[in-house]
Amino acid sequence: MRDTAPGQAPDMLAWTCPAPLRDQPRVVMGHGGGGALSAELVEHVFAPAFGGPALSVTTDAATVELGGARLAFSTDSFVVRPLFFPGGSIGDLAVNGTVNDLAMSGARAAYLSCGFILEEGVETDVVTRVAQALGAAARTAGVQVVTGDTKVVEAGHGDGIYINTSGIGVVPAGVDLRPERVVPGDVVIVSGPIGVHGVAIMSVREGLEFGVEIESDCAALGGLVEAMLAVTPDLHVLRDPTRGGLAASLNEIASASGSGVVVQERDIPVPDPVANACAVLGLDPMYVANEGKLVAFVPREHADAVLAAMRAHPLGAGAAVVGEAVEAHPGMVVARTGLGGTRVVDMPLGEQLPRIC
């Protein structure tokens, strides 16, 4: 801002705003957090560099036509620390994360590729345990690992094990899941309690105790999605709220659809251990990552039947209606608090807890 002489009115036309805090000349941890920084990196660096008509930046998987079939195709990399945590491991995440990205397009995963990046010095027994966990998770999800790659980097240039998985699956006829289909009146449903995975990782990483062991909700959601689509193929959008949590997923959908979203805070299922941990650490459960939950925008006329089908499935037993899409405040997410007030649920800048997947 330009200096102003004493007693002189400021010339507001001469004011200049500082660069936004997120205008970073170098990559920071927040760029990998699934929030606004991640979106900016994709929008301003990756999409212009290799974007094409099939590039998907608003969905978890791309849907492409090949040989007359509609295929969903997705890739994900996993850098979680620690490698093993209550309820799972990096091997489980490497399968379930990619399977779930395909499921959010309505596809049942068929085949996976798997790339291991190993740090020199990591124990072979640890690699074996991770590989066995990955294979077991693939069998549970009903998917085959059919190709892969292994690389080794020098000691000190990795963190034990990183994994990349890519997957393909067939999208059934009549299924069209994408945020642009959301319209005011759609009902917002979450498949169960949120924030579990992020708090499970945090508790073991930081050596924190909350009176009860919290296990990750890591799971493959293909079967749950099939149960929902069996009620109606006319679901509008599905999203698994991983990095950035439920808040990031709702903001991405609101922005892409142009609809506003209203959620009722008291209706969002948050387990007591997660709520207590977040209260102690000053975190908002809506921003904590999940690895076995989904959020769905469902036409109102199908909402009751879809909710019943979700609750009948083991991975949707805790499903709940938490809000709706609205015409007001397009592109914005608002939460109604238990005290009757409202608050804006912003897109997170980065991630409250990095390296959770």
Side-chain angles (χ1 to χ4, degrees):
M1 186 179 73
R2 181 176 298 175
D3 291 336
T4 302
Q8 180 181 349
D11 180 5
M12 300 185 70
L13 294 178
W15 285 18
T16 59
C17 294
L21 292 176
R22 61 175 182 256
D23 185 14
Q24 298 283 347
R26 298 179 185 273
V27 171
V28 298
M29 288 299 294
H31 283 113
L37 286 176
S38 293
E40 288 186 353
L41 196 64
V42 171
E43 179 182 357
H44 297 298
V45 176
F46 298 127
F50 49 76
L55 179 67
S56 173
V57 296
T58 62
T59 57
D60 291 320
T63 302
V64 296
E65 301 279 346
L66 184 64
R70 291 178 67 219
L71 300 179
F73 178 40
S74 185
T75 188
D76 207 345
S77 299
F78 300 87
V79 297
V80 64
R81 179 169 58 85
L83 299 176
F84 302 92
F85 46 83
S89 71
I90 191 173
D92 301 279
L93 286 176
V95 171
N96 295 338
T98 295
V99 165
N100 291 345
D101 284 348
L102 296 173
M104 297 307 105
S105 294
R108 185 66 181 255
Y111 300 107
L112 294 181
S113 71
C114 179
F116 272 73
I117 301 173
L118 308 176
E119 183 182 15
E120 181 184 23
V122 65
E123 296 88 347
T124 306
D125 286 348
V126 171
V127 180
T128 300
R129 288 177 60 197
V130 170
Q132 290 175 341
L134 191 151
R139 289 187 290 273
T140 299
V143 64
Q144 297 182 54
V145 179
V146 293
T147 188
D149 182 49
T150 304
K151 294 291 189 297
V152 178
V153 298
E154 297 89 343
H157 290 264
D159 199 6
I161 300 174
Y162 298 149
I163 301 177
N164 171 272
T165 50
S166 297
I168 57 173
V170 178
V171 180
V175 174
D176 183 17
L177 299 174
R178 48 192 173 88
E180 292 80 5
R181 296 195 63 218
V182 170
V183 295
D186 282 358
V187 174
V188 181
I189 305 175
V190 296
S191 63
I194 66 169
V196 179
H197 176 73
V199 171
I201 295 292
M202 178 168 45
S203 64
V204 67
R205 182 188 298 175
E206 306 300 335
L208 302 175
E209 296 184 3
F210 302 110
V212 60
E213 183 176 73
I214 302 173
E215 292 193 355
S216 169
D217 58 354
C218 182
L221 298 172
L224 175 60
V225 172
E226 286 187 346
M228 298 167 66
L229 291 173
V231 174
T232 174
D234 189 31
L235 305 179
H236 284 170
V237 68
L238 302 177
R239 188 64 58 89
D240 57 335
T242 53
R243 298 176 304 166
L246 180 62
S249 293
L250 293 177
N251 272 280
E252 289 168 357
I253 293 168
S255 177
S257 68
S259 294
V261 176
V262 175
V263 294
Q264 304 288 341
E265 279 192 336
R266 66 175 61 189
D267 294 334
I268 298 173
V270 180
D272 288 341
V274 171
N276 294 338
C278 288
V280 169
L281 299 169
L283 304 178
D284 184 337
M286 288 188 66
Y287 292 89
V288 178
N290 311 269
E291 280 293 348
K293 299 296 186 295
L294 63 80
V295 56
F297 281 65
V298 181
R300 185 169 296 278
E301 62 268 26
H302 300 307
D304 289 343
V306 170
L307 181 63
M310 295 173 72
R311 288 175 171 171
H313 191 280
L315 295 179
V321 172
V322 299
E324 63 180 336
V326 296
E327 292 184 0
H329 49 79
M332 182 181 296
V333 180
V334 170
R336 291 181 178 152
T337 69
L339 298 177
T342 60
R343 67 181 179 96
V344 174
V345 181
D346 288 325
M347 184 72 166
L349 191 61
E351 171 61 58
Q352 293 184 115
L353 179 69
R355 303 285 300 279
I356 46 77
C357 64

